[in-house]
Amino acid sequence: MNAESRTRLNRLPEWNALGKHREELGQTHLRELFETDPGRGTGYTLRVGDLHIDYSKHLVTDETLALLRELAAVTGVAELRDAMFRGEKINVTEDRAVLHTALRAPADAVVEVDGENVVPAVHEVLDKMAAFSGQVRSGEWTGFTGKRIKNVVNIGIGGSDLGPAMAYEALRAFTDRSLTVRFVSNVDGADLHEAVRDLDPAETLFIIASKTFTTIETITNATSARQWLLAGLGGDQAAVARHFVALSTNAEKVTAFGIDPANMFGFWDWVGGRYSFDSAIGLSLMIAIGPDAFRELLSGFHAMDEHFRTAAPEDNAPMLLGLLGIWYGAFFDAQSHAVLPYSHYLSRFTAYLQQLDMESNGKSVDRDGNPVDWQTGPVVWGTPGTNGQHAYYQLIHQGTKMIPADFIGFARPVAELEPALEAQHDLLMANFFAQTQALAFGKTAEEVRAEGVAEALVPHKTFHGNHPTTTILAGELTPSVLGQLIALYEHKVFVQGAVWNIDSFDQWGVELGKVLAKRVEPALTEGADVPGLDPSTRALVAVYRKLRGR
Ligand code: F6P
């Protein structure tokens, strides 16, 4: 498809057919869809690896799904997917390949970038990470004074923080509990202060994670961490080599910072920051869960990659979830998408997905730079159930907004719960199933009246329902299942970006704020007259300086 026709996604016959179909669907309720086709409860499901994916509670029929697949076909989703897996430079604005899938390819796979097979280098780094993790976990790698490393502090931000931080929480049950693992990302000094205040520098390893090794937050925190360490260990610079390692693509900057290149774990420019957590960026996680569990995680990712690459469109889970999101954004004006894990261990999962989805698809020009006039990425939000039920679910149930939601749950809690707590799992999951039922089918005014509710309260106690949800159910939250889940969302985001014809792999939108922050800083610290400061910001800076006592 040429650039001219791609800019007119919403003038494609396939798009218009979906619009017409949406009109025909009108106010059709999920109750009617289930009455017409009771089999959809089992028919509208997919089994992918360990994931059971139920999409029966969506406002779709066979016709909707067929039309959505036609849209995917005409917009070249499969072709772009194949180009990604082949290592073509589909990140057009940065002229880069997009090959996070190579990070979890088996050792005998061949994936070429500019004619070179990158898989051996991937496995070389993995082996180096495994060797280092083994040394830290066994106590063989000691600190400068000879003490065993008991604390690991990852300093990074965005993709160099959210992935390992999320996965560390998710896989806590698999971690070595004798290690304290913390994540520092915020340039607010309080973050590092709280992370290290009760730690012994002699027992602390800092992992400086930064693809570029130029990110101001990370370099500032790393510099402060080095000062803290040296202050605690008598000031001998030689201590840095035992207490600092780097995860980066930029050996030059790592060396300039003072980290021994031998203690650097590399990756490549074809790994996007938000897609990097299964690269060297996962080192903190590997130390916590061990190399074997980390490899299980990678095999989970790879299984989903293979599914996405090879499954027919009607059986392809990322394709399906991506298209459903497009359906609601374009034809129901849904502005946001909730991800609601019914697992305490997935407490950071939605935060991780926020970067994955919103940094990838928060775009308003297409791949050729033309403005798009259709909805792109949604606002992604959510926290673990059941907490959300007692906070914001009211709005999902009875508010005025359409909020499609993913419910993620597990049949079994992870092993180590004592019997009484293990038994709570059924209550947790009863809530999980009850919520999607209530959201889909609601409660009619007649049903409310039949309960003898006073007429004045009937409208308040009525639930319209018809709120679409996906249910993702797995046996247990293992490393492999986590890998499958993350890759599912990575590829869902890919599908959406492909249909919308946007570059899901750049992030120019974060640049302006970075540049302005550098410009504003001297105004705060020195009261410098910063040229080009707008009147509002100038006034705010003056108030800040006064409050700061300057
Ligand atoms: O927020 C912009 C961004 O470039 C993200 O894409 C990235 O994950 C993050 O900053 C951190 O970048 P780096 O790993 O280079 O420090």
PDB file of all heavy atoms in Angstrom, residues 78-91:
ATOM      1  N   ALA A  78       0.337  -8.248   8.620  1.00  0.00           N
ATOM      2  CA  ALA A  78       1.163  -9.461   8.538  1.00  0.00           C
ATOM      3  C   ALA A  78       2.484  -9.170   7.823  1.00  0.00           C
ATOM      4  O   ALA A  78       3.546  -9.676   8.231  1.00  0.00           O
ATOM      5  CB  ALA A  78       0.389 -10.562   7.819  1.00  0.00           C
ATOM      6  N   GLU A  79       2.423  -8.328   6.793  1.00  0.00           N
ATOM      7  CA  GLU A  79       3.655  -8.015   6.047  1.00  0.00           C
ATOM      8  C   GLU A  79       4.638  -7.247   6.937  1.00  0.00           C
ATOM      9  O   GLU A  79       5.838  -7.526   6.959  1.00  0.00           O
ATOM     10  CB  GLU A  79       3.337  -7.175   4.793  1.00  0.00           C
ATOM     11  CG  GLU A  79       2.654  -7.932   3.675  1.00  0.00           C
ATOM     12  CD  GLU A  79       1.153  -8.174   3.905  1.00  0.00           C
ATOM     13  OE1 GLU A  79       0.605  -7.668   4.920  1.00  0.00           O
ATOM     14  OE2 GLU A  79       0.523  -8.871   3.082  1.00  0.00           O
ATOM     15  N   LEU A  80       4.096  -6.298   7.707  1.00  0.00           N
ATOM     16  CA  LEU A  80       4.979  -5.526   8.587  1.00  0.00           C
ATOM     17  C   LEU A  80       5.548  -6.426   9.688  1.00  0.00           C
ATOM     18  O   LEU A  80       6.717  -6.311  10.069  1.00  0.00           O
ATOM     19  CB  LEU A  80       4.217  -4.336   9.204  1.00  0.00           C
ATOM     20  CG  LEU A  80       5.105  -3.284   9.861  1.00  0.00           C
ATOM     21  CD1 LEU A  80       5.933  -2.522   8.829  1.00  0.00           C
ATOM     22  CD2 LEU A  80       4.298  -2.289  10.690  1.00  0.00           C
ATOM     23  N   ARG A  81       4.693  -7.310  10.211  1.00  0.00           N
ATOM     24  CA  ARG A  81       5.155  -8.270  11.227  1.00  0.00           C
ATOM     25  C   ARG A  81       6.324  -9.096  10.666  1.00  0.00           C
ATOM     26  O   ARG A  81       7.368  -9.238  11.309  1.00  0.00           O
ATOM     27  CB  ARG A  81       3.991  -9.204  11.606  1.00  0.00           C
ATOM     28  CG  ARG A  81       4.393 -10.381  12.470  1.00  0.00           C
ATOM     29  CD  ARG A  81       3.331 -11.458  12.447  1.00  0.00           C
ATOM     30  NE  ARG A  81       3.215 -12.040  11.115  1.00  0.00           N
ATOM     31  CZ  ARG A  81       2.209 -12.816  10.696  1.00  0.00           C
ATOM     32  NH1 ARG A  81       1.222 -13.092  11.521  1.00  0.00           N
ATOM     33  NH2 ARG A  81       2.184 -13.310   9.464  1.00  0.00           N
ATOM     34  N   ASP A  82       6.151  -9.620   9.462  1.00  0.00           N
ATOM     35  CA  ASP A  82       7.206 -10.451   8.880  1.00  0.00           C
ATOM     36  C   ASP A  82       8.478  -9.631   8.664  1.00  0.00           C
ATOM     37  O   ASP A  82       9.588 -10.129   8.868  1.00  0.00           O
ATOM     38  CB  ASP A  82       6.729 -11.079   7.565  1.00  0.00           C
ATOM     39  CG  ASP A  82       5.568 -12.053   7.820  1.00  0.00           C
ATOM     40  OD1 ASP A  82       5.358 -12.423   8.999  1.00  0.00           O
ATOM     41  OD2 ASP A  82       4.871 -12.423   6.855  1.00  0.00           O
ATOM     42  N   ALA A  83       8.281  -8.367   8.276  1.00  0.00           N
ATOM     43  CA  ALA A  83       9.452  -7.497   8.077  1.00  0.00           C
ATOM     44  C   ALA A  83      10.168  -7.266   9.408  1.00  0.00           C
ATOM     45  O   ALA A  83      11.403  -7.249   9.466  1.00  0.00           O
ATOM     46  CB  ALA A  83       9.005  -6.164   7.469  1.00  0.00           C
ATOM     47  N   MET A  84       9.391  -7.121  10.478  1.00  0.00           N
ATOM     48  CA  MET A  84      10.013  -6.956  11.812  1.00  0.00           C
ATOM     49  C   MET A  84      10.842  -8.186  12.155  1.00  0.00           C
ATOM     50  O   MET A  84      12.019  -8.066  12.522  1.00  0.00           O
ATOM     51  CB  MET A  84       8.932  -6.737  12.877  1.00  0.00           C
ATOM     52  CG  MET A  84       9.489  -6.759  14.297  1.00  0.00           C
ATOM     53  SD  MET A  84       8.277  -6.395  15.583  1.00  0.00           S
ATOM     54  CE  MET A  84       7.357  -7.938  15.684  1.00  0.00           C
ATOM     55  N   PHE A  85      10.234  -9.366  12.026  1.00  0.00           N
ATOM     56  CA  PHE A  85      10.949 -10.599  12.388  1.00  0.00           C
ATOM     57  C   PHE A  85      12.186 -10.818  11.511  1.00  0.00           C
ATOM     58  O   PHE A  85      13.145 -11.438  11.942  1.00  0.00           O
ATOM     59  CB  PHE A  85      10.011 -11.815  12.280  1.00  0.00           C
ATOM     60  CG  PHE A  85       9.152 -12.025  13.509  1.00  0.00           C
ATOM     61  CD1 PHE A  85       7.863 -11.536  13.579  1.00  0.00           C
ATOM     62  CD2 PHE A  85       9.642 -12.731  14.605  1.00  0.00           C
ATOM     63  CE1 PHE A  85       7.065 -11.739  14.707  1.00  0.00           C
ATOM     64  CE2 PHE A  85       8.862 -12.939  15.741  1.00  0.00           C
ATOM     65  CZ  PHE A  85       7.568 -12.444  15.791  1.00  0.00           C
ATOM     66  N   ARG A  86      12.118 -10.310  10.264  1.00  0.00           N
ATOM     67  CA  ARG A  86      13.269 -10.477   9.355  1.00  0.00           C
ATOM     68  C   ARG A  86      14.400  -9.497   9.660  1.00  0.00           C
ATOM     69  O   ARG A  86      15.464  -9.569   9.072  1.00  0.00           O
ATOM     70  CB  ARG A  86      12.822 -10.245   7.909  1.00  0.00           C
ATOM     71  CG  ARG A  86      12.258 -11.451   7.203  1.00  0.00           C
ATOM     72  CD  ARG A  86      12.273 -11.228   5.685  1.00  0.00           C
ATOM     73  NE  ARG A  86      11.585 -10.006   5.288  1.00  0.00           N
ATOM     74  CZ  ARG A  86      10.273  -9.924   5.027  1.00  0.00           C
ATOM     75  NH1 ARG A  86       9.517 -10.988   5.120  1.00  0.00           N
ATOM     76  NH2 ARG A  86       9.734  -8.778   4.669  1.00  0.00           N
ATOM     77  N   GLY A  87      14.126  -8.530  10.537  1.00  0.00           N
ATOM     78  CA  GLY A  87      15.176  -7.564  10.876  1.00  0.00           C
ATOM     79  C   GLY A  87      15.215  -6.366   9.953  1.00  0.00           C
ATOM     80  O   GLY A  87      16.225  -5.648   9.905  1.00  0.00           O
ATOM     81  N   GLU A  88      14.128  -6.119   9.232  1.00  0.00           N
ATOM     82  CA  GLU A  88      14.103  -4.922   8.379  1.00  0.00           C
ATOM     83  C   GLU A  88      13.938  -3.673   9.241  1.00  0.00           C
ATOM     84  O   GLU A  88      13.399  -3.743  10.354  1.00  0.00           O
ATOM     85  CB  GLU A  88      12.951  -5.030   7.365  1.00  0.00           C
ATOM     86  CG  GLU A  88      13.300  -5.999   6.267  1.00  0.00           C
ATOM     87  CD  GLU A  88      12.172  -6.189   5.258  1.00  0.00           C
ATOM     88  OE1 GLU A  88      11.376  -5.258   5.066  1.00  0.00           O
ATOM     89  OE2 GLU A  88      12.102  -7.289   4.690  1.00  0.00           O
ATOM     90  N   LYS A  89      14.360  -2.550   8.706  1.00  0.00           N
ATOM     91  CA  LYS A  89      14.375  -1.315   9.515  1.00  0.00           C
ATOM     92  C   LYS A  89      12.991  -0.667   9.521  1.00  0.00           C
ATOM     93  O   LYS A  89      12.764   0.362   8.884  1.00  0.00           O
ATOM     94  CB  LYS A  89      15.458  -0.390   8.997  1.00  0.00           C
ATOM     95  CG  LYS A  89      16.819  -1.046   9.184  1.00  0.00           C
ATOM     96  CD  LYS A  89      17.987  -0.158   8.883  1.00  0.00           C
ATOM     97  CE  LYS A  89      19.266  -0.914   9.240  1.00  0.00           C
ATOM     98  NZ  LYS A  89      20.475  -0.294   8.810  1.00  0.00           N
ATOM     99  N   ILE A  90      12.091  -1.276  10.275  1.00  0.00           N
ATOM    100  CA  ILE A  90      10.704  -0.786  10.281  1.00  0.00           C
ATOM    101  C   ILE A  90      10.515   0.413  11.215  1.00  0.00           C
ATOM    102  O   ILE A  90       9.473   1.044  11.195  1.00  0.00           O
ATOM    103  CB  ILE A  90       9.698  -1.908  10.638  1.00  0.00           C
ATOM    104  CG1 ILE A  90       9.919  -2.395  12.076  1.00  0.00           C
ATOM    105  CG2 ILE A  90       9.761  -3.071   9.641  1.00  0.00           C
ATOM    106  CD1 ILE A  90       8.728  -3.171  12.616  1.00  0.00           C
ATOM    107  N   ASN A  91      11.515   0.712  12.041  1.00  0.00           N
ATOM    108  CA  ASN A  91      11.473   1.960  12.817  1.00  0.00           C
ATOM    109  C   ASN A  91      12.022   3.034  11.887  1.00  0.00           C
ATOM    110  O   ASN A  91      13.226   3.303  11.849  1.00  0.00           O
ATOM    111  CB  ASN A  91      12.317   1.816  14.081  1.00  0.00           C
ATOM    112  CG  ASN A  91      12.406   3.114  14.876  1.00  0.00           C
ATOM    113  OD1 ASN A  91      11.906   4.158  14.453  1.00  0.00           O
ATOM    114  ND2 ASN A  91      13.048   3.050  16.022  1.00  0.00           N
TER     115      ASN A  91
END
